[in-house]
Amino acid sequence: MTIRRMDNVLIVVDDLDAAIAFFVELGMELEGRSPVEGRWVERVIGLDDVRQEVAMLRTPDGHGRIELAMFHTPKAVSAGPRNAPANTLGIRRVMFAVEDIEGVVARLGTHGAELVGELADEDNYRLCYVRGPEGIVVGLAEPRG
């Protein structure tokens, strides 16, 4: 076996404070926040003169993590339209299992989040996509029963 676990997903943002607030409102816990720079990070990510600030957040069960990074240098570049549709190539969303999906959507709305489509009922779940700060799309799934 070569994989032990999935450690985290990185999301590069322009407004680190807004992204942290969004994911904390979702129910994630901020593990830490710190500057990252130096030759080691430049060698790992293949960029020169790297200065960034990163924040690590974890799910309440401790198994899932999101790493948020804001680059001071070099400046972040956009890979496409900020509000790209669901069929755009690349990573489109991160899915979370939640309780009280309508309450979660309402709380995230206080951080500017909006439904991408609509809240839908499926056999085993209530599901929706929400677009938050930086155009980040999260999927929300409330298990039935």
Side-chain angles (χ1 to χ4, degrees):
M1 182 167 156
T2 58
I3 294 177
R4 299 183 82 165
R5 71 176 186 271
M6 188 180 101
D7 193 63
N8 68 67
V9 173
L10 171 68
I11 302 173
V12 177
V13 299
D14 282 326
D15 187 340
L16 189 59
D17 292 328
I20 290 170
F22 175 79
F23 283 104
V24 166
E25 188 67 54
L26 181 59
M28 297 190 80
E29 300 167 11
L30 179 63
E31 286 186 335
R33 179 178 177 162
S34 66
V36 175
E37 60 185 285
R39 186 69 190 131
W40 72 270
V41 72
E42 294 169 357
R43 289 175 37 219
V44 170
I45 67 174
L47 294 173
D48 293 324
D49 191 31
V50 172
R51 283 184 41 255
Q52 62 179 321
E53 188 172 356
V54 299
M56 188 67 74
L57 297 106
R58 72 172 176 272
T59 55
D61 67 2
H63 295 291
R65 288 185 172 76
I66 300 262
E67 180 179 355
L68 301 172
M70 181 179 68
F71 280 80
H72 299 289
T73 61
K75 287 291 184 189
V77 296
S78 178
R82 177 167 248 154
N83 294 330
N87 64 340
T88 302
L89 295 174
I91 296 174
R92 297 302 345 129
R93 60 118 176 104
V94 178
M95 179 70 78
F96 294 95
V98 300
E99 295 176 3
D100 182 22
I101 195 167
E102 290 172 347
V104 173
V105 170
R107 286 196 330 269
L108 294 178
T110 66
H111 295 271
E114 298 177 341
L115 285 171
V116 172
E118 54 187 63
L119 180 58
D121 293 313
E122 188 265 335
D123 290 341
N124 298 312
Y125 294 92
R126 299 187 74 209
L127 300 162
C128 69
Y129 282 10
V130 176
R131 190 180 316 277
E134 311 280 339
I136 297 167
V137 176
V138 296
L140 305 174
E142 179 181 6
R144 291 187 180 273

